[in-house]
Amino acid sequence: MLERAQALQIAAAFLARSQRDSEPPLAVDAGRVRENNGLLIAPCNSVQYLASRDVRHQLLDCWPILVDLTSGDVRFGTLDGRHLWKNRCTGT
């Protein structure tokens, strides 16, 4: 079983590897990271938005990073898996 700090490092490394040159710099929203169903759920967005929380800088197509706390497998969330994080991370 991964510790939260290890899983967060995996999420950040995955995001860095996934970043395209055409995208603004992205980062994990560390203050909103949660655990649910054996997954670390790490929201991410632009560095500019995370620093300011100004919605003008928020990227709307950022899916959370999901890290399996047992295996260490990592992937972006999908619409089909939204039930894993919608109540826990957004309060809806």
Side-chain angles (χ1 to χ4, degrees):
M1 188 82 148
L2 293 173
E3 296 291 326
R4 184 183 178 108
Q6 291 173 298
L8 192 53
Q9 288 177 344
I10 290 170
F14 176 77
L15 182 60
R17 286 191 311 271
S18 302
Q19 177 94 41
R20 291 186 291 246
D21 291 338
S22 61
E23 295 175 319
L26 302 174
V28 170
D29 189 348
R32 294 194 174 163
V33 171
R34 303 285 184 267
E35 293 178 28
N36 190 19
N37 293 335
L39 296 171
L40 181 90
I41 303 165
C44 58
N45 214 294
S46 74
V47 170
Q48 189 173 13
Y49 168 72
L50 295 176
S52 69
R53 298 292 177 182
D54 183 334
V55 296
R56 292 177 295 167
H57 302 295
Q58 185 177 21
L59 302 177
L60 301 178
D61 62 347
C62 291
W63 292 92
I65 301 165
L66 308 177
V67 181
D68 185 303
L69 294 171
T70 302
S71 67
D73 290 340
V74 61
R75 62 184 172 86
F76 283 109
T78 63
L79 187 58
D80 291 339
R82 189 168 180 259
H83 67 280
L84 296 171
W85 68 83
K86 88 172 190 171
N87 290 338
R88 300 272 303 184
C89 293
T90 63
T92 60

